[in-house]
Amino acid sequence: MNGRSYYRWILALTRDRHINMLYTRGHSAELSLPSQLNREADHCASGSQRFPDLVPFAPTPTFTMDEYTLYTKADGWIESNTRTFADFFLAKGAAELLALGNRLRMLNSVHDNVPPPDYPYTRALSAHSAVIQLYARSGQLPTAEVLESRSKLMSCMCRLGCDAVESVHHVFVDCIHFEEWRRAAGEEVSLRTERKLVAAGILREEDQRAIMNAAKSLFVDDDVVWPLKISQYYLGRIPRIGDRISYM
């Protein structure tokens, strides 16, 4: 329980001073003294959240804590569930390690954080795209670069003749043999995006331009649109479109 030491302190005070606790109905229109005091307390508690610097500091009653209590400089005393607290930071550390390694394949924080729709993964007629995305994100897609690193090929160069390393990014973004597919897909995405903007009532020219620029740059590298300067649509990611829209 968060604030466990405060509850223990209050209970200790009630035992020492024989304080009687009486129930007062909250959020009522009663005019009794307890009800008015309760409303005043609620008002002060709610208002203090807007002005935290004006709230008097209450020292932490460490004398009512457990004999052994966790403490961190960032969070202070940890009185919540210790296992949950430790699990959270272990998971966070593992996620950060995965994000910074593996060529940033698992780095999600800089991209749009809206979960993709379930349909392509659970109800699509063909699971091919979902499987390709899974293999790409896990670093298992059998490109020449991956196969050469595992001694399955003699060269990591593009097997379609390009003078470039056959990486996942090269196959999905740069390889000229798939340029026509990317161009056609880009035009379709732009057309659908334009229709959805009208249907969603997004009429501001600045907002439309920002979203359309992101749509047109989905399959190409763009220093402005993509946070890592390179397209990563093949990993199921899109740029942070929401950051470019004005909600005023």
Side-chain angles (χ1 to χ4, degrees), residues 221-236:
D221 294 338
D222 191 302
D223 292 349
V224 177
V225 172
W226 286 98
L228 297 180
K229 315 300 182 185
I230 60 173
S231 171
Q232 290 191 327
Y233 75 91
Y234 48 87
L235 299 177

Side-chain angles (χ1 to χ4, degrees), residues 1-15 19 21 55-66 69 71 75-80:
M1 176 190 296
N2 289 324
R4 181 187 304 167
S5 56
Y6 286 100
Y7 287 103
R8 289 177 175 173
W9 191 12
I10 293 173
L11 291 174
L13 292 175
T14 60
R15 287 194 298 267
I19 298 175
M21 294 187 181
V55 179
F57 174 74
T60 304
T62 55
F63 49 84
T64 57
M65 288 183 178
D66 293 335
T69 303
Y71 177 86
D75 303 288
W77 295 102
I78 310 303
E79 297 189 81
S80 58

Side-chain angles (χ1 to χ4, degrees), residues 105 129-142 168 235:
R105 286 196 306 269
S129 297
V131 172
I132 293 296
Q133 187 181 116
L134 172 63
Y135 273 74
R137 296 194 70 171
S138 61
Q140 303 299 316
L141 199 65
V168 177
L235 299 177

Side-chain angles (χ1 to χ4, degrees), residues 184-248:
E187 291 179 354
E188 182 177 357
V189 168
S190 297
L191 181 61
R192 292 189 178 187
T193 302
E194 190 172 2
R195 292 174 180 172
K196 288 183 178 294
L197 287 174
V198 176
I202 300 178
L203 304 177
R204 285 173 55 94
E205 183 179 350
E206 296 83 356
D207 295 340
Q208 289 186 351
R209 186 185 306 113
I211 297 177
M212 288 303 300
N213 286 341
K216 293 177 181 178
S217 301
L218 187 62
F219 303 112
V220 298
D221 294 338
D222 191 302
D223 292 349
V224 177
V225 172
W226 286 98
L228 297 180
K229 315 300 182 185
I230 60 173
S231 171
Q232 290 191 327
Y233 75 91
Y234 48 87
L235 299 177
R237 300 196 180 107
I238 61 174
R240 283 184 176 271
I241 300 176
D243 295 345
R244 303 173 180 274
I245 301 177
S246 172
Y247 294 96
M248 300 301 293

